[in-house]
């Protein structure tokens, strides 16, 4: 019996969300897009996946409205993939899941700190700023490297992301 | 080139979290365990997946410490799978992702409401109670069916979950 490609009989908004972002690697593509990665070649440098898989994941995210494709060069044709507002709303999912991973699956501390750029306060796991008492959208987040970032990756995009970086701003 | 089974070069607590709960169906197993499903046959009734896949996902979650296996009957041998405290901390991930799915992928409204049992207030998408100003742990959540719950599933476990139910409490 083959494993179904979707969860239509699951009757649940979580299942619907997983149809879009539950495929292996997809949430890491979303993570990198949140960090400001936009170009196919940059996603490829950051994620050790076959081109066909990356292309398919990007296409799924564009179809669902999480990413928007934008041609930035005509010859040869080159596209960028940019976070839509719908995609940017996945920021709390990424923070919540990362903090859970840190608490339970690592011993080296956070790999990234997320700060509210207006006040510099570190966000709670839910992406709320405790000082301002607001949910902080991705565009208002300053990301800093943490002690858990081992620097294993030496590609230029990963190097750029070892410095402080505003979420959603393009890399470089 | 085969797609890797893990994300070891990803250097990221999100990737580590996805190694545990990023596999297809795994987060729906976690969802059902959060609702109070404990028995293999009940997971099987709720999720339309092959037995081998369910067994493998349950084993991964037990190995990672998200679920704990508990023998409740010796002959024939029968095991329950219960949420650990580490697993229960995934509750905000489930709420956040469900609410995102509702906002963007459904038109029929929430399939479930999550209320703070101490005060009856509906939780924010981050699993925070706005009335009490606290993050609400799964054990303090009363779940009610919402308008988005179509009642497509007629198995006994799904029927039981169409009534109000305290999270983590066993079904039936």
């Amino acid at each position: 019996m083959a494993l179904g490609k979707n969860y239509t009989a699951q009757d649940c908004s979580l299942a619907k969300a997983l149809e879009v972002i539950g495929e292996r690697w997809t949430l890491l593509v979303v993570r990198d897009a949140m960090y400001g990665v936009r170009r196919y070649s940059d996603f490829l440098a950051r994620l050790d996946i076959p081109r066909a898989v990356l292309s398919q994941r990007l296409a799924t995210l564009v179809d669902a409205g999480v990413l928007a494709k934008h041609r930035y060069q005509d010859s040869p044709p080159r596209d960028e993939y940019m976070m839509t507002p719908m995609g940017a709303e996945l920021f709390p999912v990424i923070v919540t899941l990362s903090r859970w991973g840190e608490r339970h699956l690592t011993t080296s501390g956070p790999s990234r700190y997320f700060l509210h750029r207006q006040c510099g306060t570190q966000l709670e796991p839910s992406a709320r700023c405790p000082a301002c008492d607001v949910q902080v959208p991705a565009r208002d987040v300053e990301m800093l490297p943490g002690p858990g970032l081992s620097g294993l990756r030496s590609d230029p995009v990963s190097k750029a992301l070892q410095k402080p970086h505003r979420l959603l701003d393009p890399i470089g």
Side-chain angles (χ1 to χ4, degrees), chain A:
Chain A
M1 180 178 169
L3 189 55
K5 288 288 285 175
N6 59 43
Y7 306 106
T8 41
Q10 279 302 310
D11 192 21
C12 165
S13 49
L14 176 63
K16 288 191 172 62
L18 293 176
E19 277 188 36
V20 176
I21 60 157
E23 195 91 48
R24 181 164 281 271
W25 291 103
T26 302
L27 206 52
L28 296 185
V29 174
V30 171
R31 172 200 67 182
D32 281 358
M34 199 74 77
Y35 291 177
V37 177
R38 294 185 177 181
R39 298 186 174 182
Y40 185 90
S41 55
D42 289 346
F43 284 108
L44 202 62
R46 287 266 298 164
L47 304 167
D48 306 304
I49 52 176
R51 285 169 177 272
V53 175
L54 177 60
S55 300
Q56 187 270 318
R57 298 300 187 273
L58 288 168
T60 299
L61 290 169
V62 169
D63 284 350
V66 171
L67 298 178
K69 195 163 150 178
H70 164 245
R71 180 140 299 182
Y72 69 89
Q73 179 185 299
D74 278 324
S75 111
R78 291 283 181 271
D79 296 316
E80 286 186 325
Y81 298 85
M82 293 167 67
M83 268 296 183
T84 64
M86 171 184 171
E89 285 185 29
L90 285 167
F91 176 59
V93 176
I94 287 179
V95 186
T96 306
L97 205 44
S98 296
R99 293 293 174 254
W100 182 83
E102 280 157 25
R103 281 198 305 279
H104 298 292
L105 304 170
T106 75
T107 52
S108 49
S111 46
R112 309 277 181 190
Y113 292 114
F114 298 107
L115 310 184
H116 191 196
R117 73 175 176 88
Q118 282 84 347
C119 72
T121 306
Q122 196 179 335
L123 302 187
E124 293 179 350
S126 58
R128 184 167 158 272
C129 174
C132 304
D133 197 18
V134 292
Q135 277 296 125
V136 179
R139 66 175 177 280
D140 289 340
V141 175
E142 184 82 10
M143 179 170 75
L144 270 65
L149 195 70
S150 69
L152 271 178
R153 304 199 68 82
S154 57
D155 59 275
V157 183
S158 298
K159 286 281 184 201
L161 287 170
Q162 286 163 18
K163 289 177 282 203
H165 184 77
R166 175 87 58 86
L167 289 190
L168 301 179
D169 274 4
I171 308 290

